[in-house]
Amino acid sequence: MPEPHLRAADADRAAVATVLGQHMSAGRLTVDEYDERLARAYAAKTYGELEQLTADLPATTRSHSPAPRPATYPHGQACGPGWRGDAHSSWRAWLTTSLIVVTIWLTTSLASWELQYFWPIWVIGPWGAILLAQTITGGSRSDRDSGREQHRQLGG
């Protein structure tokens, strides 16, 4: 650390807080000790005050771990434009949602002793129409196009 009398910045206090958290997770500090030192770290004005908080702790070595790789999902597990879930699970989700919204509509209609406007049609109608179209055509155009692109990339 720089000279003890120099003023510390927010980034310096945050760095010490991170080190204290590492020592607590390693079992060198109790939760109470961590809380006390953390409060003192954020109240510290100089490097000397920050240095006192870690003086009795061993130096932490940062291991150079590889950067985390982005998660990859097999087809049918991810959402978005390239999602190729099977039709059965899509229809199952539609049916479950349909049952929920119709139950809510029926409950509110029974509670008011009159049939309310059938608003669930705006939830289940368009969704069902899209699912029906995808089931009949075998998926969306973007799915087929991206499938061709993957086939071409794999050397097919």
Side-chain angles (χ1 to χ4, degrees):
M1 274 197 183
E3 297 180 40
H5 68 278
L6 294 177
R7 295 192 61 98
D10 288 339
D12 301 317
R13 288 185 274 279
V16 170
T18 301
V19 170
L20 290 172
Q22 291 170 351
H23 286 292
M24 182 190 70
S25 65
R28 291 186 192 95
L29 296 174
T30 66
V31 174
D32 291 336
E33 290 172 319
Y34 170 74
D35 286 340
E36 176 198 340
R37 290 183 189 209
L38 189 63
R40 288 176 46 202
Y42 283 112
K45 290 187 171 71
T46 64
Y47 286 111
E49 293 173 32
L50 289 176
E51 193 171 346
Q52 291 173 359
L53 299 173
T54 58
D56 63 336
L57 300 170
T60 58
T61 58
R62 292 191 177 223
S63 63
H64 293 290
S65 59
R69 294 186 324 184
T72 57
Y73 299 99
H75 295 299
Q77 298 263 335
C79 295
W83 182 71
R84 290 184 194 81
D86 63 316
H88 296 294
S89 64
S90 298
W91 280 108
R92 221 177 357 258
W94 176 84
L95 180 61
T96 303
T97 303
S98 299
L99 290 173
I100 291 170
V101 296
V102 169
T103 301
I104 292 170
W105 170 80
L106 188 59
T107 303
T108 56
S109 292
L110 290 174
S112 66
W113 291 100
E114 63 182 49
L115 287 179
Q116 302 291 320
Y117 172 74
F118 190 68
W119 57 265
I121 194 68
W122 296 108
V123 176
I124 60 179
W127 186 5
I130 292 170
L131 282 177
L132 183 61
Q134 286 181 346
T135 300
I136 291 171
T137 63
S140 69
R141 182 176 181 182
S142 65
D143 288 346
R144 289 191 302 272
D145 292 345
S146 64
R148 283 189 204 119
E149 179 64 28
Q150 286 180 348
H151 182 65
R152 190 174 41 224
Q153 287 177 352
L154 292 174

